[in-house]
Amino acid sequence: METQRPESAQPVSETHGRPNMSLGLRAAMRAVLGFVVYGALFFGTAGTFDYWEAWVFLGALFIPAIGALIYLVRADPELLERRMRMREERARQKVIMMMFTATWLLVFALPGLDRRFGWSAVPTWLVIFSDGVVLASYVFVMRVVLENRYASRTIGVEEGQQLVTTGLYALVRHPMYLAILPLILCAPLALGSWWAMVPALPTPLFLVMRILDEEEALREGLPGYVDYMQETRSRLIPGVW
């Protein structure tokens, strides 16, 4: 969400001078669970662990995620707590995220089947390039998160939030979605599958639906957002939309 760190905000929540280890443990367990689920999906559908594209993709996705987790546990556990929220309160967002999740599972299931039956022959250079895009997208996501410490995974406005209009937010109103867009579109190629691009290509439409509903919530609950919409015209892609 578009907010800014108050000057008086304390970046580290500590108990007896130590970072919040309970939060860190929960975040670490969620990361491990994500790795296991993704791995089971990739290698289970492929029927083999001899699937180097999946190993490289998992590394590009989870190695920076672990680094970000360690940093946030120590520097800003409140931000990490927000990033761990998954339950949407708005009915439309629940439907949008259900559709997105179902589509994304298909995007991640097809590459393994593609590997098993040899449907695609994505050039190695394109696989590596796509992994680089995935990694760059994650770095971009973290840049947005550090610029806006209320950048939650769920839609809502918290008490005391302040509008961010500088940096990336001066270019587009939703830089987080701009950051993950290349990841969405390059993930199938990073996993070595042309066929997985078929369900992946429509997924940006879910981002559009999410943005339109999110802006309704921000107009109603975040002071100054209506004026900000007039100043920063682009929602997702500078100069396009």
Side-chain angles (χ1 to χ4, degrees), residues 21 26 43-44 84 101 105 113 118 131 139 141 153 180-181 183 197 210 236 238-239:
M21 298 309 295
R26 287 191 289 121
F43 302 117
M84 290 178 63
T101 301
L105 285 174
L113 294 173
D131 280 310
V139 173
V141 167
R153 289 180 183 271
I180 67 174
L181 186 58
L183 188 155
M197 289 295 296
R210 184 170 172 84
L236 179 62

PDB file of all heavy atoms in Angstrom, residues 21 26 43-44 84 101 105 113 118 131 139 141 153 180-181 183 197 210 236 238-239:
ATOM      1  N   MET A  21      12.679 -13.175  17.087  1.00  0.00           N
ATOM      2  CA  MET A  21      13.050 -14.477  16.545  1.00  0.00           C
ATOM      3  C   MET A  21      11.833 -15.313  16.197  1.00  0.00           C
ATOM      4  O   MET A  21      11.882 -16.145  15.294  1.00  0.00           O
ATOM      5  CB  MET A  21      13.943 -15.223  17.545  1.00  0.00           C
ATOM      6  CG  MET A  21      15.266 -14.513  17.827  1.00  0.00           C
ATOM      7  SD  MET A  21      16.166 -14.057  16.320  1.00  0.00           S
ATOM      8  CE  MET A  21      16.534 -15.667  15.652  1.00  0.00           C
ATOM      9  N   ARG A  26       8.885 -18.016  11.925  1.00  0.00           N
ATOM     10  CA  ARG A  26       7.684 -18.207  11.106  1.00  0.00           C
ATOM     11  C   ARG A  26       7.964 -17.895   9.636  1.00  0.00           C
ATOM     12  O   ARG A  26       7.511 -18.606   8.744  1.00  0.00           O
ATOM     13  CB  ARG A  26       6.544 -17.334  11.631  1.00  0.00           C
ATOM     14  CG  ARG A  26       5.934 -17.831  12.938  1.00  0.00           C
ATOM     15  CD  ARG A  26       4.653 -17.086  13.273  1.00  0.00           C
ATOM     16  NE  ARG A  26       4.906 -15.721  13.665  1.00  0.00           N
ATOM     17  CZ  ARG A  26       4.414 -14.648  13.051  1.00  0.00           C
ATOM     18  NH1 ARG A  26       3.669 -14.808  11.960  1.00  0.00           N
ATOM     19  NH2 ARG A  26       4.668 -13.434  13.482  1.00  0.00           N
ATOM     20  N   PHE A  43       9.409 -30.901  -9.857  1.00  0.00           N
ATOM     21  CA  PHE A  43      10.041 -32.206 -10.041  1.00  0.00           C
ATOM     22  C   PHE A  43       9.019 -33.344 -10.070  1.00  0.00           C
ATOM     23  O   PHE A  43       9.253 -34.378 -10.695  1.00  0.00           O
ATOM     24  CB  PHE A  43      11.086 -32.437  -8.953  1.00  0.00           C
ATOM     25  CG  PHE A  43      12.151 -31.379  -8.927  1.00  0.00           C
ATOM     26  CD1 PHE A  43      12.315 -30.559  -7.822  1.00  0.00           C
ATOM     27  CD2 PHE A  43      12.971 -31.178 -10.028  1.00  0.00           C
ATOM     28  CE1 PHE A  43      13.288 -29.564  -7.807  1.00  0.00           C
ATOM     29  CE2 PHE A  43      13.951 -30.190 -10.018  1.00  0.00           C
ATOM     30  CZ  PHE A  43      14.104 -29.381  -8.904  1.00  0.00           C
ATOM     31  N   GLY A  44       7.888 -33.131  -9.395  1.00  0.00           N
ATOM     32  CA  GLY A  44       6.847 -34.157  -9.426  1.00  0.00           C
ATOM     33  C   GLY A  44       6.240 -34.296 -10.806  1.00  0.00           C
ATOM     34  O   GLY A  44       6.058 -35.417 -11.307  1.00  0.00           O
ATOM     35  N   MET A  84       3.949 -10.807   5.322  1.00  0.00           N
ATOM     36  CA  MET A  84       3.530 -12.180   5.560  1.00  0.00           C
ATOM     37  C   MET A  84       2.010 -12.333   5.599  1.00  0.00           C
ATOM     38  O   MET A  84       1.501 -13.454   5.618  1.00  0.00           O
ATOM     39  CB  MET A  84       4.134 -12.693   6.872  1.00  0.00           C
ATOM     40  CG  MET A  84       5.638 -12.916   6.806  1.00  0.00           C
ATOM     41  SD  MET A  84       6.317 -13.451   8.379  1.00  0.00           S
ATOM     42  CE  MET A  84       5.478 -15.013   8.621  1.00  0.00           C
ATOM     43  N   THR A 101      -4.239 -17.497  -8.376  1.00  0.00           N
ATOM     44  CA  THR A 101      -3.548 -18.670  -7.813  1.00  0.00           C
ATOM     45  C   THR A 101      -3.783 -19.912  -8.657  1.00  0.00           C
ATOM     46  O   THR A 101      -2.845 -20.680  -8.931  1.00  0.00           O
ATOM     47  CB  THR A 101      -4.013 -18.917  -6.366  1.00  0.00           C
ATOM     48  OG1 THR A 101      -3.732 -17.762  -5.569  1.00  0.00           O
ATOM     49  CG2 THR A 101      -3.309 -20.126  -5.771  1.00  0.00           C
ATOM     50  N   LEU A 105      -0.787 -21.882 -10.609  1.00  0.00           N
ATOM     51  CA  LEU A 105      -0.492 -23.303 -10.408  1.00  0.00           C
ATOM     52  C   LEU A 105      -0.363 -24.020 -11.746  1.00  0.00           C
ATOM     53  O   LEU A 105       0.493 -24.893 -11.918  1.00  0.00           O
ATOM     54  CB  LEU A 105      -1.599 -23.948  -9.559  1.00  0.00           C
ATOM     55  CG  LEU A 105      -1.577 -23.624  -8.067  1.00  0.00           C
ATOM     56  CD1 LEU A 105      -2.803 -24.211  -7.379  1.00  0.00           C
ATOM     57  CD2 LEU A 105      -0.304 -24.137  -7.403  1.00  0.00           C
ATOM     58  N   LEU A 113       5.717 -31.050 -16.904  1.00  0.00           N
ATOM     59  CA  LEU A 113       5.157 -31.953 -17.917  1.00  0.00           C
ATOM     60  C   LEU A 113       5.867 -31.748 -19.251  1.00  0.00           C
ATOM     61  O   LEU A 113       6.118 -32.708 -19.992  1.00  0.00           O
ATOM     62  CB  LEU A 113       3.658 -31.695 -18.066  1.00  0.00           C
ATOM     63  CG  LEU A 113       2.799 -32.029 -16.847  1.00  0.00           C
ATOM     64  CD1 LEU A 113       1.361 -31.575 -17.066  1.00  0.00           C
ATOM     65  CD2 LEU A 113       2.850 -33.529 -16.541  1.00  0.00           C
ATOM     66  N   GLY A 118       8.992 -33.626 -23.412  1.00  0.00           N
ATOM     67  CA  GLY A 118       9.815 -33.018 -24.443  1.00  0.00           C
ATOM     68  C   GLY A 118       9.056 -32.180 -25.452  1.00  0.00           C
ATOM     69  O   GLY A 118       9.350 -32.214 -26.640  1.00  0.00           O
ATOM     70  N   ASP A 131      16.045 -16.228 -16.214  1.00  0.00           N
ATOM     71  CA  ASP A 131      16.386 -16.311 -14.791  1.00  0.00           C
ATOM     72  C   ASP A 131      16.950 -14.983 -14.297  1.00  0.00           C
ATOM     73  O   ASP A 131      16.675 -14.558 -13.163  1.00  0.00           O
ATOM     74  CB  ASP A 131      17.406 -17.430 -14.550  1.00  0.00           C
ATOM     75  CG  ASP A 131      16.759 -18.797 -14.506  1.00  0.00           C
ATOM     76  OD1 ASP A 131      15.774 -18.970 -13.771  1.00  0.00           O
ATOM     77  OD2 ASP A 131      17.231 -19.704 -15.205  1.00  0.00           O
ATOM     78  N   VAL A 139      14.766  -8.138  -7.011  1.00  0.00           N
ATOM     79  CA  VAL A 139      15.505  -6.983  -6.481  1.00  0.00           C
ATOM     80  C   VAL A 139      14.648  -5.718  -6.579  1.00  0.00           C
ATOM     81  O   VAL A 139      14.615  -4.894  -5.658  1.00  0.00           O
ATOM     82  CB  VAL A 139      16.835  -6.801  -7.242  1.00  0.00           C
ATOM     83  CG1 VAL A 139      17.522  -5.504  -6.825  1.00  0.00           C
ATOM     84  CG2 VAL A 139      17.753  -7.992  -6.997  1.00  0.00           C
ATOM     85  N   VAL A 141      11.375  -5.635  -6.547  1.00  0.00           N
ATOM     86  CA  VAL A 141      10.352  -5.759  -5.502  1.00  0.00           C
ATOM     87  C   VAL A 141      10.888  -5.260  -4.167  1.00  0.00           C
ATOM     88  O   VAL A 141      10.219  -4.504  -3.445  1.00  0.00           O
ATOM     89  CB  VAL A 141       9.873  -7.224  -5.381  1.00  0.00           C
ATOM     90  CG1 VAL A 141       9.066  -7.427  -4.095  1.00  0.00           C
ATOM     91  CG2 VAL A 141       9.029  -7.615  -6.584  1.00  0.00           C
ATOM     92  N   ARG A 153       1.021  -7.451   1.288  1.00  0.00           N
ATOM     93  CA  ARG A 153       0.540  -8.357   0.244  1.00  0.00           C
ATOM     94  C   ARG A 153      -0.973  -8.254   0.078  1.00  0.00           C
ATOM     95  O   ARG A 153      -1.525  -8.693  -0.924  1.00  0.00           O
ATOM     96  CB  ARG A 153       0.898  -9.805   0.589  1.00  0.00           C
ATOM     97  CG  ARG A 153       2.374 -10.133   0.486  1.00  0.00           C
ATOM     98  CD  ARG A 153       2.608 -11.589   0.856  1.00  0.00           C
ATOM     99  NE  ARG A 153       4.011 -11.919   0.845  1.00  0.00           N
ATOM    100  CZ  ARG A 153       4.678 -12.356  -0.216  1.00  0.00           C
ATOM    101  NH1 ARG A 153       4.042 -12.498  -1.352  1.00  0.00           N
ATOM    102  NH2 ARG A 153       5.965 -12.633  -0.129  1.00  0.00           N
ATOM    103  N   ILE A 180       6.760  -7.076 -10.423  1.00  0.00           N
ATOM    104  CA  ILE A 180       6.519  -8.514 -10.561  1.00  0.00           C
ATOM    105  C   ILE A 180       6.048  -8.904 -11.964  1.00  0.00           C
ATOM    106  O   ILE A 180       6.054 -10.089 -12.301  1.00  0.00           O
ATOM    107  CB  ILE A 180       5.502  -9.022  -9.516  1.00  0.00           C
ATOM    108  CG1 ILE A 180       4.104  -8.436  -9.771  1.00  0.00           C
ATOM    109  CG2 ILE A 180       5.981  -8.734  -8.116  1.00  0.00           C
ATOM    110  CD1 ILE A 180       3.053  -9.012  -8.856  1.00  0.00           C
ATOM    111  N   LEU A 181       5.676  -7.916 -12.784  1.00  0.00           N
ATOM    112  CA  LEU A 181       5.204  -8.224 -14.131  1.00  0.00           C
ATOM    113  C   LEU A 181       6.243  -8.982 -14.963  1.00  0.00           C
ATOM    114  O   LEU A 181       5.913 -10.005 -15.589  1.00  0.00           O
ATOM    115  CB  LEU A 181       4.774  -6.932 -14.829  1.00  0.00           C
ATOM    116  CG  LEU A 181       4.111  -7.068 -16.194  1.00  0.00           C
ATOM    117  CD1 LEU A 181       2.863  -7.950 -16.104  1.00  0.00           C
ATOM    118  CD2 LEU A 181       3.753  -5.693 -16.754  1.00  0.00           C
ATOM    119  N   LEU A 183       8.624 -10.889 -13.902  1.00  0.00           N
ATOM    120  CA  LEU A 183       8.771 -12.218 -13.301  1.00  0.00           C
ATOM    121  C   LEU A 183       7.674 -13.144 -13.797  1.00  0.00           C
ATOM    122  O   LEU A 183       7.927 -14.297 -14.170  1.00  0.00           O
ATOM    123  CB  LEU A 183       8.727 -12.094 -11.771  1.00  0.00           C
ATOM    124  CG  LEU A 183       9.056 -13.349 -10.955  1.00  0.00           C
ATOM    125  CD1 LEU A 183       9.568 -12.942  -9.574  1.00  0.00           C
ATOM    126  CD2 LEU A 183       7.855 -14.266 -10.792  1.00  0.00           C
ATOM    127  N   MET A 197       3.755 -20.518 -21.363  1.00  0.00           N
ATOM    128  CA  MET A 197       3.480 -19.122 -21.676  1.00  0.00           C
ATOM    129  C   MET A 197       1.994 -18.899 -21.975  1.00  0.00           C
ATOM    130  O   MET A 197       1.485 -17.791 -21.804  1.00  0.00           O
ATOM    131  CB  MET A 197       4.307 -18.666 -22.889  1.00  0.00           C
ATOM    132  CG  MET A 197       5.791 -18.521 -22.627  1.00  0.00           C
ATOM    133  SD  MET A 197       6.159 -17.204 -21.432  1.00  0.00           S
ATOM    134  CE  MET A 197       5.591 -15.754 -22.331  1.00  0.00           C
ATOM    135  N   ARG A 210      -6.835  -6.212  -9.986  1.00  0.00           N
ATOM    136  CA  ARG A 210      -6.442  -5.953  -8.597  1.00  0.00           C
ATOM    137  C   ARG A 210      -6.184  -4.463  -8.385  1.00  0.00           C
ATOM    138  O   ARG A 210      -6.601  -3.890  -7.381  1.00  0.00           O
ATOM    139  CB  ARG A 210      -5.195  -6.772  -8.264  1.00  0.00           C
ATOM    140  CG  ARG A 210      -4.737  -6.676  -6.811  1.00  0.00           C
ATOM    141  CD  ARG A 210      -3.661  -7.701  -6.544  1.00  0.00           C
ATOM    142  NE  ARG A 210      -3.039  -7.546  -5.246  1.00  0.00           N
ATOM    143  CZ  ARG A 210      -3.513  -8.030  -4.103  1.00  0.00           C
ATOM    144  NH1 ARG A 210      -4.660  -8.696  -4.107  1.00  0.00           N
ATOM    145  NH2 ARG A 210      -2.872  -7.865  -2.958  1.00  0.00           N
ATOM    146  N   LEU A 236       0.438   1.491 -13.904  1.00  0.00           N
ATOM    147  CA  LEU A 236       1.310   0.315 -13.936  1.00  0.00           C
ATOM    148  C   LEU A 236       2.540   0.505 -14.808  1.00  0.00           C
ATOM    149  O   LEU A 236       3.663   0.221 -14.375  1.00  0.00           O
ATOM    150  CB  LEU A 236       0.515  -0.907 -14.412  1.00  0.00           C
ATOM    151  CG  LEU A 236       1.257  -2.233 -14.531  1.00  0.00           C
ATOM    152  CD1 LEU A 236       1.775  -2.674 -13.163  1.00  0.00           C
ATOM    153  CD2 LEU A 236       0.344  -3.304 -15.131  1.00  0.00           C
ATOM    154  N   PRO A 238       4.691   3.233 -17.117  1.00  0.00           N
ATOM    155  CA  PRO A 238       4.830   4.677 -17.391  1.00  0.00           C
ATOM    156  C   PRO A 238       4.436   5.034 -18.816  1.00  0.00           C
ATOM    157  O   PRO A 238       4.911   4.428 -19.773  1.00  0.00           O
ATOM    158  CB  PRO A 238       6.321   4.939 -17.130  1.00  0.00           C
ATOM    159  CG  PRO A 238       6.744   3.862 -16.191  1.00  0.00           C
ATOM    160  CD  PRO A 238       5.936   2.656 -16.571  1.00  0.00           C
ATOM    161  N   GLY A 239       3.542   6.011 -18.934  1.00  0.00           N
ATOM    162  CA  GLY A 239       3.139   6.506 -20.240  1.00  0.00           C
ATOM    163  C   GLY A 239       2.198   5.622 -21.015  1.00  0.00           C
ATOM    164  O   GLY A 239       1.771   5.967 -22.115  1.00  0.00           O
TER     165      GLY A 239
END
